Amino acid sequence: MTVGTDPAAVAASVVGMAREGRFVEIAALFAPRLRAAISAETLRVSWATEIAKAGAITAVGQPTCEPGKAGLVRVSAPVTCERGGLIVVMSVDDAGMMHGLRLAPPAATPWQPPGYANPKKLVEHEVTVGSDVLAVPGTLTLPRGRGPWPGVVLLSGGGPFDRDATSGLNKPLKDLAWGLASRGVAVARFDKVTFVHGEVLTQPGFTMSEEYVPHALDAVRLLQRQPGVDPARVFVLGHSMGGSAAPRVAAAEASIAGMLILAGDTVPLSQAAVRVVQYLATLNPGPDTQAAVDLITRQAALVDSPELSPATPTTDLLFGWPASYWLDLRDYDRVATAAARDTPMLILQGGRDYQVTVADDLTRWRTGLAHGRDVTIRVYDADDHLFFRGEGLSTPAGYEPPQHVDAAVVADIADWLTTGPRKIPRLFPRHRH
């Protein structure tokens, strides 16, 4: 098969082949590193999942090209669907081979500050987190005034997220940063290393610890050095997998004052992946969703199997993460690690969250930390995984409309940080609004 070497022509051909289900032919255009990370079957399931959400394709726009990293060309092909759309983004070399491929949401409208954020009460500075070849850009969001302020470093969830945890039209970590700074909390956030340096996922031995810990510690130290920040009151706040990583970060730095864990998973991620895909299949039954269930179940079984080894091909594993990542996760007990750290903890959970659940994940936090000091756990019944308020069953489509993190969540976090964790009753209430 020949599709030519012009990047725009390659992109148009890839979209056309995807519409016709020719994923093996698309995979044949992958450069070796991409081929080692993404299989044709994984690509087929990802495409089917996105099309199931957006509806049948009604039009394909003209691909646009711009210079990319390492001499590659970044091509974006807009796809319009019945209920929305997506953008097929790829990196193409001068031989027409793809070095990167992802399905992105349509171009977002400009983010607007939530009502609880007051731009006049804060100032932002761009910073660099880390000093080696894997340094990443970040942002300090500081209250105006002299301080002293408590500080918090934000850690986003699993996957290559930017500093705002951008999800479609929404930026939940930016909501938190602006909302907290408006209430007297200094905030640091940064692009994940997997967002800026995606090639790390193909490097032998890459782990969850390497994805989170080095940059989180650099951000903690950066925040501690800021004028007006009380270095003895700098915390880490993690969302989703970032919440699971927070105990590991805190264990690596004694000066961290405490942890805030938002929708932090405790069920092994392989098992949670199967639970989530089965839930999604009930919302949209059909052969494509069943194919996704079968694929995720098979990959999860291998992740949990004694047969998993550093030599297991990445294409056989969940999410395109290497075996080293999964072996590291299998050896990491986030609840026990948190319990061993005698610092205040605030654990928040959305009642409508289907990705990290009250029944499965929060129960393990409750049980494992039941005898800990200064542990506060709160549930927001109307909130989903991103702490967006809503009603009824939570679905992926519920993340798409422009919205903001629940104001009550931001207020509770700010109160916990500014009042002093040890002054707040150590209770495990359900938080209703």
Side-chain angles (χ1 to χ4, degrees), residues 194-212:
T194 44
F195 179 82
V196 181
H197 307 283
E199 67 276 7
V200 295
L201 274 172
T202 66
Q203 295 176 355
F206 187 70
T207 65
M208 184 262 252
S209 181
E210 292 174 338
E211 184 178 21
Y212 280 97

Side-chain angles (χ1 to χ4, degrees), residues 234-285:
V234 172
F235 298 75
V236 291
L237 181 159
H239 173 254
S240 195
M241 179 175 272
S244 292
R248 190 171 241 176
V249 173
E253 177 52 65
S255 68
I256 291 174
M259 290 169 272
L260 300 90
I261 298 172
L262 279 62
D265 54 277
T266 59
V267 172
L269 189 55
S270 54
Q271 298 175 23
V274 174
R275 181 190 66 202
V276 168
V277 75
Q278 289 175 338
Y279 171 82
L280 296 178
T282 65
L283 302 178
N284 186 35

Side-chain angles (χ1 to χ4, degrees), residues 1-230:
M1 176 196 62
T2 302
V3 298
T5 59
D6 176 69
V10 171
S13 297
V14 167
V15 174
M17 288 186 285
R19 296 183 72 176
E20 297 170 3
R22 295 155 54 195
F23 297 100
V24 172
E25 295 176 57
I26 295 176
L29 299 175
F30 289 174
R33 280 194 172 184
L34 186 60
R35 190 178 302 125
I38 303 176
S39 68
E41 187 176 12
T42 299
L43 181 59
R44 178 174 66 83
V45 169
S46 298
W47 178 265
T49 300
E50 292 301 319
I51 295 303
K53 290 191 296 183
I57 294 174
T58 57
V60 177
Q62 181 66 31
T64 58
C65 302
E66 60 183 318
K69 293 188 293 185
L72 302 175
V73 176
R74 185 176 184 269
V75 193
S76 301
V79 177
T80 304
C81 303
E82 290 177 341
R83 298 188 298 275
L86 65 147
I87 301 176
V88 181
V89 183
M90 59 194 74
S91 297
V92 182
D93 64 21
D94 56 9
M97 301 297 290
M98 284 186 286
H99 293 251
L101 175 65
R102 64 187 178 92
L103 305 179
T109 56
W111 176 85
Q112 297 295 321
Y116 48 75
N118 186 342
K120 295 181 179 180
K121 290 186 175 182
L122 60 92
V123 60
E124 288 199 315
H125 303 292
E126 296 301 295
V127 295
T128 297
V129 178
S131 58
D132 59 12
V133 294
L134 295 182
V136 299
T139 302
L140 295 180
T141 309
L142 306 175
R144 293 189 180 274
R146 299 180 59 184
W149 313 298
V152 64
V153 172
L154 307 185
L155 309 176
S156 57
F161 279 109
D162 65 10
R163 73 197 74 179
D164 301 326
T166 300
S167 300
L169 303 175
N170 299 299
K171 297 179 179 291
L173 290 194
K174 191 169 185 178
D175 290 348
L176 284 176
W178 281 48
L180 293 175
S182 298
R183 290 172 170 266
V185 178
V187 183
R189 65 192 195 277
F190 52 89
D191 294 344
K192 287 182 68 176
V193 67
T194 44
F195 179 82
V196 181
H197 307 283
E199 67 276 7
V200 295
L201 274 172
T202 66
Q203 295 176 355
F206 187 70
T207 65
M208 184 262 252
S209 181
E210 292 174 338
E211 184 178 21
Y212 280 97
V213 176
H215 292 92
L217 295 182
D218 284 336
V220 167
R221 293 161 188 155
L222 179 64
L223 199 53
Q224 288 173 331
R225 295 194 299 268
Q226 296 305 306
V229 174
D230 182 351

